[in-house]
């Protein structure tokens, strides 16, 4: 019945929505930033544990739609063990992939995150996918105030 | 009673023939904005092809013709809401501007530090923020009357909040997020006992029921054309003549003046005092055409037909496991706001869209209502004269299928 949506709602997204990874609080987190999407009211809190400039652990709390939950869940998995510079580079690639500005995005570079490429066909949903990454960007830049997708 | 002419009505709205994602459009976002019948679309085109010039300006034929049609629309609106005079009908951009006009004109002239403005907890942002702005400017206090878990105003509490310092009451006639129709006549009677004027935000009520401002005895009534099957960019503020006479102008410019020198300006009479600048002429005339169209159907018949749709939709929705209706007031207009267990409204919106069904997913510009019901957002199906029970079946099947997919 929802054949048209197969590119957007891939099985991996349903899986991460049902069972979000790293859905917990890091008690001794070095960075803690809130992300907010005023369009839909989605809120999340991102926790990072740093070891030098390496992200040792990442987790989140909050609730949102399937796209945003899957996006933040996948993100916390993939950034673990990455340096700040590597994470920022990934954010840039992810942003290009989801906003569709560059058709030549190397999907291999984003690994599992490629399942979110489908949002580029749904402009109203792009912010659902990018909220997690804007929040990470703020956390890496050590910005204290909550970030918003607007 | 004659049969509601649903087939004819559906033929009058050309957009209903659109295919959305290869499916027939099921348009259930009418509380955000309704679609337009041919008579409205053709009217706009006709004005620009045959009748267009600026109004109230020239002696030339087209300006006279344009002015006649523009003022004719004002008279139609006057009759539609049963106002006493066309002077009480102010053209605005829409409900939002109408409310801001009252806040900045009546409010600034009459409301001072320590005075109270009373609204309810179910208001749209456009009936909250203008009063917050006025409160900041004047030092007045914004009071908010509570609602219950069915989404109804708690009338006793509301009446209790009408005090010696209350200077203005502004409340939705019908809630956009919940569908609740408020007991506005009782509120107005209680307010008038203490000589407090009442503004009704009629944006949602006006497309769904007969509105009689004389019978309601409200002091102001604000509504938009675009929810009433008319164009966007045009709306109305009704105000009792004596109140409007006493109020200072809202914006300065052309049309609202009688005489200007660099030393002083003499303001124009009603309604022009509040209509600075060139108005949205064709849109106002086309709003008149929308009203002609609705008068042919009859607003009483509209209310009866839509009540049937809402009853049917509510009945069907209650059969779906995991669906919770937000807003179950005893008095309710044709809006069905709901949430699903573990499925975010945005996912509901996208999934239904893929089936050709347009619903609103979000906070409906009523974030305090969402906070009250402890949901981030809801999905909302809102009905209009062209919707059918068969479309409601398509919606319910869609909801059941997406619940299955999310598992």
């Amino acid at each position: 019945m929802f054949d048209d949506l197969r590119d957007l709602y891939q099985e991996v997204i349903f899986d991460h929505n049902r069972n979000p990874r790293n859905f917990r609080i890091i008690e001794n987190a070095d960075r803690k930033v809130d992300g907010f999407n005023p369009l839909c009211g989605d809120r999340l809190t991102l926790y990072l544990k740093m070891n030098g400039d390496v992200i040792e652990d990442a987790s989140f709390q909050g609730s949102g739609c399937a796209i945003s939950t899957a996006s933040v869940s996948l993100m916390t998995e993939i950034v673990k063990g990455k340096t700040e510079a590597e994470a920022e580079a990934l954010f840039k690639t992810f942003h290009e992939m989801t906003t569709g500005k560059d058709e030549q995005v190397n999907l291999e570079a984003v690994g599992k995150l490629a399942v979110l490429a489908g949002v580029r066909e749904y402009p109203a949903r792009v912010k659902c996918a990018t909220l997690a990454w804007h929040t990470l960007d703020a956390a890496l830049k050590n910005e204290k105030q909550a970030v918003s997708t607007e | 009673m004659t049969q509601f002419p649903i087939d004819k009505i559906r033929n009058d709205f050309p957009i209903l023939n659109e295919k959305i994602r290869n499916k027939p459009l099921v348009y259930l976002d009418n509380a955000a904005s309704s679609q337009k019948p041919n008579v409205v679309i053709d009217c706009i085109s006709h004005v620009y092809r045959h009748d267009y010039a600026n109004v109230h300006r020239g002696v030339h034929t087209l300006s006279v013709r344009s002015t006649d049609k523009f003022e004719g629309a004002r008279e139609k609106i006057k009759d539609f809401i049963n106002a006493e005079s066309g002077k009480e009908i102010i053209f605005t951009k829409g409900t939002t501007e109408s409310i801001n006009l009252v806040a900045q004109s009546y409010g600034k002239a009459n409301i001072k530090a320590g005075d109270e403005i009373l609204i309810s907890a179910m208001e749209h942002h456009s009936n909250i923020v203008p009063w917050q702005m006025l409160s900041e400017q004047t030092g007045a206090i914004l009071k908010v009357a509570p609602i219950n878990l069915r989404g109804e105003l708690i009338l006793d509490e509301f009446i209790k909040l009408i005090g010696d310092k209350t200077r203005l009451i502004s409340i939705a006639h019908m809630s956009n997020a919940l569908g609740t129709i408020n007991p506005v006549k009782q509120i107005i009677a209680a307010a008038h006992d203490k000589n407090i004027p009442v503004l009704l935000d009629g944006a949602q009520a006006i497309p769904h029921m007969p509105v009689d401002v004389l019978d309601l005895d409200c002091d102001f009534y604000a509504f938009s054309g675009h929810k009433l099957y008319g164009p966007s960019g045009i709306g109305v503020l009704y105000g009792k003549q004596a109140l409007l006479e006493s109020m200072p102008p809202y914006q300065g410019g052309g049309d609202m003046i009688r005489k200007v020198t660099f030393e002083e300006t003499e303001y124009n009479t009603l309604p022009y005092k509040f209509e600075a600048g060139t108005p949205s002429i064709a849109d106002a005339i086309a709003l008149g055409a929308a009203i002609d169209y609705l008068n042919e159907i009859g607003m009483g018949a509209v209310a009866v037909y839509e009540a049937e749709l809402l009853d049917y939709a509510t009945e069907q929705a209650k059969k779906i496991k995991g669906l919770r209706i937000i807003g179950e007031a005893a008095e309710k207009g044709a809006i069905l706001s709901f949430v699903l267990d573990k499925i975010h409204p945005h996912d509901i919106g996208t999934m239904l869209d893929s089936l050709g069904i347009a619903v609103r997913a979000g906070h409906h510009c009523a974030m305090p209502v969402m906070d009250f019901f402890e949901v981030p957002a809801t999905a909302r199906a809102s009905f209009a004269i062209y919707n059918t029970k068969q479309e409601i079946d398509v919606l319910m099947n869609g909801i059941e299928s997406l619940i299955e997919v999310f598992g």
Side-chain angles (χ1 to χ4, degrees), chain A residues 22 34 43 45 47 68 74 77 80 108 121 142:
Chain A
N22 303 305
D34 294 326
R43 281 170 199 281
T45 305
Y47 301 85
S68 85
L74 284 160
E77 275 195 319
K80 262 191 249 183
E108 272 177 36
E121 303 299 330
N142 221 352

Side-chain angles (χ1 to χ4, degrees), chain A residues 1-2 4-5 8-9 14 17-18 38-42 64-67 121-122 125 128, chain B residues 21 23 342 344 346-347 350-351 354-355 362-363 367 376-377 397-398 401-402 405-407:
Chain A
M1 194 165 186
F2 296 100
D4 297 352
L5 288 177
L8 182 61
Y9 289 97
F14 282 126
N17 183 50
R18 279 185 213 112
L39 184 70
C40 58
D42 284 359
C65 64
I67 307 293
E121 303 299 330
Y122 296 84
R125 304 301 302 277
C128 309
Chain B
R21 298 189 181 269
K23 314 276 191 328
K342 293 187 182 138
H344 192 281
H346 264 201
D347 295 319
T350 299
M351 291 233 147
S354 79
L355 305 176
H363 52 62
M367 286 186 183
N397 286 335
S401 305
L402 77 88
V405 171
F406 265 77

Side-chain angles (χ1 to χ4, degrees), chain A residues 9-94:
Chain A
Y9 289 97
Q10 299 195 31
E11 195 44 45
V12 176
I13 289 176
F14 282 126
D15 174 38
H16 278 259
N17 183 50
R18 279 185 213 112
N19 307 300
R21 319 296 198 266
N22 303 305
F23 187 75
R24 56 187 160 81
I25 294 167
I26 298 175
E27 292 296 348
N28 56 348
D30 297 303
R31 315 269 170 90
K32 179 188 166 206
V33 175
D34 294 326
F36 178 49
N37 181 349
L39 184 70
C40 58
D42 284 359
R43 281 170 199 281
L44 66 87
T45 305
L46 182 69
Y47 301 85
L48 297 182
K49 180 74 190 152
M50 306 299 293
N51 182 1
D53 77 335
V54 174
I55 301 168
E56 196 175 81
D57 195 7
S59 75
F60 78 101
Q61 293 276 282
S63 71
C65 64
I67 307 293
S68 85
T69 303
S71 179
V72 66
S73 172
L74 284 160
M75 183 188 79
T76 53
E77 275 195 319
I78 206 165
V79 297
K80 262 191 249 183
K82 292 216 166 15
T83 64
E84 292 189 24
E86 286 168 343
E88 287 288 8
L90 203 51
F91 170 43
K92 195 167 165 280
T93 314
F94 181 80

Side-chain angles (χ1 to χ4, degrees), chain B residues 249-266:
Chain B
Y250 170 51
Q251 292 178 328
D255 228 21
M256 55 78 71
I257 46 82
R258 176 169 285 159
K259 185 181 164 213
V260 176
T261 65
F262 284 116
E263 286 69 42
E264 60 175 0
T265 292
E266 195 181 314

Side-chain angles (χ1 to χ4, degrees), chain B residues 36-339:
Chain B
K36 318 305 170 198
N38 280 318
V39 286
V40 168
I41 299 166
D42 294 346
C43 175
I44 293 174
S45 164
H46 190 274
V47 169
Y48 285 124
R49 285 172 195 280
H50 302 287
D51 300 324
Y52 186 76
N54 211 332
V55 290
H56 311 137
R57 299 294 197 283
V59 293
H60 61 80
T61 303
L62 267 187
S63 179
V64 172
R65 205 189 284 171
S66 179
T67 303
D68 284 350
K69 294 221 165 190
F70 181 75
E71 292 304 324
R74 196 191 305 275
E75 287 300 306
K76 287 175 189 178
I77 293 161
K78 179 209 92 178
D79 292 339
F80 187 65
I81 62 170
N82 196 30
E84 281 188 294
S85 157
K87 290 177 180 171
E88 298 177 317
I89 306 298
I90 315 291
F91 281 120
T92 64
K93 281 191 295 184
T95 309
T96 298
E97 191 182 39
S98 298
I99 296 173
N100 277 280
L101 191 164
V102 176
Q104 290 303 313
S105 168
Y106 181 85
K108 263 195 181 163
N110 295 283
I111 295 174
K112 294 171 186 60
D115 289 348
E116 292 173 3
I117 302 154
L118 178 56
I119 62 172
S120 87
M122 72 174 83
E123 301 307 322
H124 187 281
H125 294 164
S126 62
N127 198 25
I128 301 173
V129 182
W131 308 115
Q132 286 174 332
M133 289 167 65
L134 178 67
S135 298
E136 268 176 37
Q137 292 159 353
T138 60
I141 299 154
L142 186 60
K143 292 274 184 182
V144 183
I147 57 176
N148 64 24
L149 283 169
R150 291 160 63 87
E152 294 163 325
L153 193 71
I154 305 170
L155 188 61
D156 292 352
E157 298 288 329
F158 193 98
I159 304 282
K160 267 189 231 162
L161 282 168
I162 305 177
D164 295 341
K165 290 186 173 173
T166 311
R167 292 290 172 271
L168 186 73
I169 293 169
S170 189
I171 184 166
H173 192 179
M174 172 175 154
S175 153
N176 76 309
L178 303 167
T180 311
I181 298 170
N182 282 315
V184 291
K185 280 185 89 166
Q186 284 159 273
I187 288 169
I188 290 164
H192 285 178
D193 278 348
K194 299 190 174 179
N195 292 317
I196 300 162
V198 179
L199 185 161
L200 295 183
D201 169 358
Q204 293 298 330
I206 197 122
H208 299 299
M209 65 189 81
V211 170
D212 181 332
V213 292
L214 269 190
D215 178 56
L216 289 168
D217 199 25
C218 57
D219 301 278
F220 299 104
Y221 198 95
F223 65 95
S224 301
H226 71 95
K227 295 190 209 282
L228 194 63
Y229 311 101
S232 57
I234 191 77
V236 171
L237 174 69
Y238 157 82
K240 284 182 179 169
Q241 192 173 337
L243 263 175
L244 293 174
E245 298 277 13
S246 75
M247 287 158 53
Y250 170 51
Q251 292 178 328
D255 228 21
M256 55 78 71
I257 46 82
R258 176 169 285 159
K259 185 181 164 213
V260 176
T261 65
F262 284 116
E263 286 69 42
E264 60 175 0
T265 292
E266 195 181 314
Y267 300 127
N268 205 340
T269 52
L270 288 176
Y272 314 113
K273 182 170 86 174
F274 293 106
E275 294 180 353
T278 295
S280 203
I281 299 164
D283 296 319
I285 297 169
L287 176 56
I291 284 172
D292 287 341
Y293 180 77
L294 286 167
N295 281 335
E296 236 170 80
I297 300 166
M299 288 310 292
V302 166
V304 170
Y305 179 74
E306 290 183 349
E308 264 176 49
L309 286 183
L310 180 67
D311 285 350
Y312 182 72
T314 306
E315 199 178 290
Q316 298 305 310
K318 281 183 172 166
K319 290 181 187 164
I320 296 176
K321 207 168 158 263
L323 184 150
R324 174 183 162 211
I325 296 174
I326 303 289
E328 295 186 280
E331 295 294 323
K332 206 180 146 178
I335 284 175
L336 185 78
S337 219
F338 63 94
V339 290

